[in-house]
Amino acid sequence: MKSKELSVDLRDRIVSRHKSGEGYRTTSAALKVPMSTLASIIRKWKKFKTPRTLPRAGRPSKLSDQGRRALVREVTKNPMVTLSELQRSSAERGEPSRRTTISAAIYQSGLYGRVARRKPLLSKRHMAAHLEFAKRHLKDSQTMRNKILWSDETKIELFGVNARRHVWRKPGTAHHQASTIPTVKHVKYGGGSVMVWGCFAASGPGRLAVIDGTMNSTVYQKILKENVRPSVRQLKLKRSWVLQQDNDPKHTSKSTSEWLKKNKMKTLEWPSQSPDLNPIEMLWHDLKKALHARKPSNKAELQQFCKDEWAKIPPERRKRLIASYRKRLIAVIAAKGGPTSY
């Protein structure tokens, strides 16, 4: 239940006592007004030059202050709570439960409904490794970075995209852990999609391989055999080139490790769950965007379009992405190993 507003006369007396230098505690005791109410009236007087109630922009909210605070606590504790769930909890407290009323109350507190970003699921161990890697490689020269052959696999959908999830958050917190959807890198692929492996360096895009069937260590080694060295020659990388790959179990299996050693392919040690450090992730984004515009109607077209668009990557785009690697390392350090905007 809302409290009754103070009379104009009482508000004027509060301001008068404040002007005379009287403290809040003394005024509160003399006028029998809570100190929090006193502070509110003084703030209004300082801001608007009057203690009187100002005309409201619209009708007063039916939601009580207590109900409003309860909603804010709920979305702060669980940013991915849905409006339907908030409606139910508000109704259980005997408060208004209209969606517009609840949304307006949350917006007024500085929290806004946004699509949650998908970010790697990071444990404390992942974050520590992430941070240590960034600090160790921050001082690497650009010449060293130009010798890296970046590689990765991705799933490309024939139709549609993964379902989106909304989150309540404040501006500037899109990449905070509580506002993102945790993802893991290594999943099974199937349905109306294809899986591709690709690589690139500062000097250009390497080969793109479409993967048929289930990918395991043997298939991965075959991809490396058929695509890595031809890409190195095509991109004119020097002898000290190094292959970057993530920590997918197929990449780090005993048989793959032995194969890499036997074929004298040096790899860049890589922290788990770190796609935000790999510039190739943005090339996947560009590729999927281009494919969406071309609208392939079947998997055969999808595979051909993948190869066509991969070969069209502009040189300036590649250079910007390689240049962004240092910024990615700095962002990881600033986030103390946590999720970044990349």
Side-chain angles (χ1 to χ4, degrees):
M1 183 176 177
K2 293 185 178 180
S3 58
K4 187 177 179 180
E5 288 189 347
L6 299 183
S7 67
V8 173
D9 177 67
L10 185 52
R11 289 167 182 263
D12 288 338
R13 287 161 61 193
I14 289 171
V15 172
S16 178
R17 283 173 175 262
H18 176 74
K19 286 181 178 179
S20 69
E22 187 173 274
Y24 284 15
R25 193 179 300 277
T26 304
T27 303
S28 175
L31 301 179
K32 295 182 173 54
V33 175
M35 284 180 34
S36 59
T37 305
L38 279 176
S40 177
I41 291 172
I42 298 302
R43 280 197 302 271
K44 179 182 286 188
W45 169 71
K46 287 180 177 179
K47 184 174 181 179
F48 300 106
K49 307 303 179 185
T50 177
R52 289 165 172 74
T53 301
L54 298 172
R56 293 185 175 93
R59 68 178 184 181
S61 172
K62 294 182 179 180
L63 198 64
S64 70
D65 290 342
Q66 185 179 5
R68 192 185 306 273
R69 288 194 298 269
L71 286 172
V72 172
R73 280 197 303 270
E74 197 167 348
V75 298
T76 302
K77 184 177 180 180
N78 177 17
M80 294 190 188
V81 65
T82 65
L83 262 177
S84 296
E85 292 169 334
L86 292 172
Q87 283 181 285
R88 286 195 293 271
S89 61
S90 187
E92 289 170 0
R93 289 190 295 269
E95 296 279 355
S97 58
R98 290 185 61 183
R99 296 173 71 89
T100 52
T101 301
I102 292 173
S103 295
I106 297 172
Y107 290 161
Q108 287 167 9
S109 71
L111 295 162
Y112 303 92
R114 298 289 185 265
V115 174
R117 309 289 177 91
R118 293 180 180 273
K119 288 291 175 179
L121 176 61
L122 296 174
S123 65
K124 289 183 179 179
R125 179 174 58 82
H126 290 143
M127 291 173 68
H130 214 185
L131 181 60
E132 193 274 333
F133 177 91
K135 288 180 176 178
R136 188 167 69 253
H137 289 278
L138 183 60
K139 294 183 180 179
D140 289 352
S141 67
Q142 190 60 48
T143 301
M144 291 177 66
R145 293 171 187 153
N146 289 343
K147 296 176 181 178
I148 300 174
L149 182 67
W150 302 93
S151 71
D152 193 24
E153 303 95 33
T154 192
K155 179 179 71 170
I156 299 180
E157 305 273 1
L158 180 59
F159 304 112
V161 296
N162 291 331
R164 299 193 297 179
R165 184 83 182 270
H166 286 75
V167 62
W168 299 99
R169 63 173 177 81
K170 291 188 176 182
T173 63
H175 303 283
H176 288 191
Q177 207 157 6
S179 301
T180 60
I181 298 175
T183 63
V184 291
K185 184 70 176 174
H186 320 303
V187 295
K188 293 182 178 180
Y189 298 88
S193 63
V194 297
M195 186 180 179
V196 297
W197 175 93
C199 63
F200 92 110
S203 51
R207 290 194 172 190
L208 185 81
V210 177
I211 301 162
D212 292 321
T214 302
M215 186 172 176
N216 53 31
S217 295
T218 302
V219 174
Y220 181 63
Q221 291 159 31
K222 185 173 184 289
I223 288 171
L224 295 181
K225 180 180 179 180
E226 295 176 352
N227 296 280
V228 171
R229 291 201 185 278
S231 294
V232 169
R233 289 193 292 270
Q234 173 188 327
L235 300 173
K236 297 179 181 179
L237 297 180
K238 296 181 180 179
R239 288 186 178 181
S240 54
W241 65 273
V242 60
L243 173 67
Q244 180 279 331
Q245 60 177 10
D246 62 30
N247 289 306
D248 185 302
K250 298 178 284 292
H251 302 174
T252 58
S253 67
K254 183 178 179 180
S255 65
T256 299
S257 298
E258 290 175 350
W259 188 92
L260 289 165
K261 185 177 180 180
K262 179 181 177 181
N263 287 272
K264 298 180 180 179
M265 289 189 186
K266 183 181 178 182
T267 59
L268 177 66
E269 84 285 0
W270 196 253
S272 298
Q273 291 288 80
S274 302
D276 53 342
L277 284 173
N278 193 346
I280 203 172
E281 295 291 340
M282 290 307 300
L283 289 188
W284 292 142
H285 172 79
D286 294 350
L287 178 62
K288 292 172 183 178
K289 187 175 179 181
L291 291 170
H292 179 74
R294 293 189 67 172
K295 295 181 173 60
S297 59
N298 54 59
K299 290 179 74 169
E301 279 191 353
L302 179 60
Q303 292 179 13
Q304 186 57 51
F305 290 174
C306 281
K307 294 179 180 179
D308 294 344
E309 296 300 328
W310 185 255
K312 294 178 184 177
I313 299 170
E316 62 274 11
R317 177 59 166 161
R318 299 191 306 266
K319 291 177 182 177
R320 284 200 306 271
L321 288 176
I322 296 299
S324 75
Y325 178 53
R326 187 173 187 277
K327 296 178 182 178
R328 293 165 186 265
L329 296 173
I330 292 172
V332 167
I333 294 171
K336 298 180 180 178
T340 70
S341 60
Y342 289 97

